[in-house]
């Protein structure tokens, strides 16, 4: 069938074509290698989130910490896996974003505005 001419039409067609084919085989194929790769990817995503969360807590005086970093990494990963078309992607905090957040925190303190609100608005506009 031809692709739908609507928002997310190709994604919907892709889902319809893959349900019941190789997807079921991949999701029910539990073996030692599958479990090992799953644990590796879990720790590869969790370890940097906790580490950067601790540094974020220090830089932002506990406004953003490890829990927030874990939640943000999880939600961004889930969203990207569902919409991005490439389900294996590790995301999370990076050094430049940490430095930018530190500058935003200092700027919010000097302007006497709430940091989290300021950070949200900057995130929406950047």
């Amino acid at each position: 069938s031809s692709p739908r001419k609507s928002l997310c039409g190709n994604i919907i067609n892709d889902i319809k074509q893959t349900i019941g084919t190789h997807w079921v085989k991949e999701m029910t194929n539990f073996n030692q290698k599958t479990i090992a790769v799953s644990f590796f990817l879990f720790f590869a995503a969790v370890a940097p989130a906790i580490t950067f969360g601790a540094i974020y807590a220090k830089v932002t005086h506990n406004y953003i910490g490890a829990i927030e970093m874990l939640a943000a990494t999880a939600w961004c990963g889930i969203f990207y896996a569902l919409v991005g078309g490439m389900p294996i992607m590790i995301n999370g905090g990076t050094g430049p974003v940490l430095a930018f957040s530190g500058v935003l925190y200092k700027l919010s303190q000097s302007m006497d505005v709430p940091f989290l609100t300021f950070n949200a608005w900057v995130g929406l506009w950047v």
Side-chain angles (χ1 to χ4, degrees):
S1 70
S2 65
R4 295 173 60 188
K5 303 290 184 203
S6 67
L7 182 66
C8 301
N10 289 332
I11 294 174
I12 293 169
N13 282 338
D14 189 37
I15 290 170
K16 286 180 182 177
Q17 290 174 0
T18 57
I19 287 181
T21 59
H22 68 279
W23 183 257
V24 174
K25 184 178 170 185
E26 288 178 5
M27 294 304 290
T28 58
N29 184 21
F30 282 122
N31 58 30
Q32 188 175 2
K33 189 181 282 187
T34 305
I35 294 169
V37 168
S38 298
F39 274 113
F40 170 74
L41 287 175
F42 173 75
F43 288 113
V46 168
I50 292 172
T51 304
F52 272 101
I55 299 170
Y56 267 94
K58 189 174 184 179
V59 169
T60 63
H61 291 86
N62 293 321
Y63 278 102
I64 299 174
I67 299 296
E68 291 82 8
M69 200 64 178
L70 281 169
T73 301
W75 281 111
C76 288
I78 291 167
F79 179 77
Y80 191 83
L82 292 174
V83 181
M86 187 174 87
I88 298 179
M89 184 212 127
I90 299 172
N91 60 1
T94 60
V97 176
L98 175 62
F100 184 70
S101 295
V103 170
L104 277 181
Y105 177 76
K106 290 178 183 175
L107 187 60
S108 71
Q109 295 301 307
S110 68
M111 293 172 42
D112 197 30
V113 295
F115 168 67
L116 294 177
T117 307
F118 186 59
N119 190 29
W121 278 109
V122 169
L124 287 173
W125 287 98
V126 168

